[in-house]
Amino acid sequence: MAGRDDRDTRERLLRAGSELFAATGLHGATVRDIARAAGANVAAASYHFGSKEALYLEVLRTQFAAIRDRLARRAPVPTDVALQQLSRADLERLIEIRLVTMLEILVGPPPSIYGKLIQREMCDPSAALPNIVEEFIRPQMEEMRAIYRQLYPALPVGDIDRCSFSMVGQVVFYHVMRPAVLRFLGRDEYPRGFGRQLAAHILDFSLGGMDRLAERRRGRARRAS
């Protein structure tokens, strides 16, 4: 019973921490506020996490794990050997599913709390930023890089990485600019299915740019020879 109570308290602290960190950032939330929101005491927060910074990092890692699991279920990246066997249509579909998943998380409806957490972190970086990059952003970028290198073997890694960031940037735009975009559209909420429409657009728009980059590379190679 004590073990279950401990797990319940820990989960409540994580949920409360997620909400408060998303609302005010690491520096704006206090352990006392989080403990109060979780129906726990400060000693329990210290017992389970040791410090506010450790709780914050665990909140982020919990969010990362949920997103990784979601991507792994819906759009697992095959091994290098398996990637080589995929057609262009298969590779494009793999990217599109990942875009849909990211948009569902950041845009919704309803949007995940992850978007607010990361937006706060980017506006006011904490000591957790290196962990965010190494544990989540870099692995995701490397997975996307593997897919794009199969699609565009002539493009250098620098071009591929910039294209990947550009594609992610288009996804993030609809999260960060949400109030302005909704006002422009005359809506209170993004409609259901909006993420899939956006994913198709972002894919076509981005691959069109990458096709042009690849053609320029091939043109330079022909002229050099």
Side-chain angles (χ1 to χ4, degrees):
M1 182 66 71
R4 180 182 299 173
D5 289 344
D6 278 349
R7 287 194 298 272
D8 289 345
T9 301
R10 189 177 189 278
E11 289 303 314
R12 292 202 311 275
L13 287 165
L14 282 172
R15 285 196 298 271
S18 297
E19 295 288 343
L20 287 173
F21 289 138
T24 65
L26 170 65
H27 305 300
T30 68
V31 173
R32 188 172 299 279
D33 289 338
I34 294 169
R36 185 184 302 115
N41 55 48
V42 175
S46 298
Y47 167 75
H48 284 287
F49 300 101
S51 68
K52 181 175 73 169
E53 290 74 19
L55 170 57
Y56 178 65
L57 188 55
E58 189 60 26
V59 163
L60 291 172
R61 283 174 169 154
T62 300
Q63 293 293 322
F64 297 160
I67 295 170
R68 279 195 299 266
D69 289 346
R70 196 166 173 176
L71 284 169
R73 288 195 307 271
R74 299 180 65 178
V77 177
T79 63
D80 290 343
V81 173
L83 272 176
Q84 294 170 13
Q85 309 304 316
L86 296 182
S87 67
R88 180 178 175 103
D90 289 335
L91 293 166
E92 290 183 6
R93 179 60 179 157
L94 195 56
I95 298 169
E96 186 172 13
I97 295 172
R98 294 176 76 84
L99 284 170
V100 169
T101 304
M102 284 190 288
L103 283 160
E104 287 175 351
I105 291 166
L106 290 176
V107 172
S112 163
I113 200 167
Y114 166 80
K116 289 183 178 180
L117 283 165
I118 289 299
Q119 188 174 347
R120 288 283 181 184
E121 177 65 26
M122 294 303 106
C123 290
D124 187 13
S126 71
L129 183 59
N131 299 86
I132 294 170
V133 172
E134 295 305 319
E135 296 179 22
F136 187 69
I137 294 177
R138 191 179 301 283
Q140 297 301 320
M141 284 291 292
E142 288 175 350
E143 289 183 358
M144 294 299 284
R145 184 188 289 167
I147 300 170
Y148 290 135
R149 291 191 77 172
Q150 188 61 37
L151 272 171
Y152 299 99
L155 285 181
V157 172
D159 279 353
I160 287 174
D161 286 348
R162 283 187 289 273
C163 289
S164 298
F165 279 128
S166 177
M167 193 174 287
V168 172
Q170 293 175 73
V171 173
V172 171
F173 170 85
Y174 286 91
H175 168 72
V176 175
M177 298 295 290
R178 180 190 194 88
V181 173
L182 287 174
R183 188 173 184 84
F184 178 80
L185 296 175
R187 304 187 67 98
D188 295 324
E189 183 56 271
Y190 288 130
R192 196 161 296 280
F194 188 60
R196 290 189 177 277
Q197 295 174 14
L198 279 179
H201 164 75
I202 292 170
L203 181 69
D204 288 343
F205 184 84
S206 301
L207 294 186
M210 295 182 81
D211 287 341
R212 180 166 180 168
L213 281 173
E215 180 56 36
R216 284 185 173 180
R217 289 281 177 185
R218 287 192 291 268
R220 292 188 192 121
R222 286 193 296 268
R223 287 193 295 274
S225 61

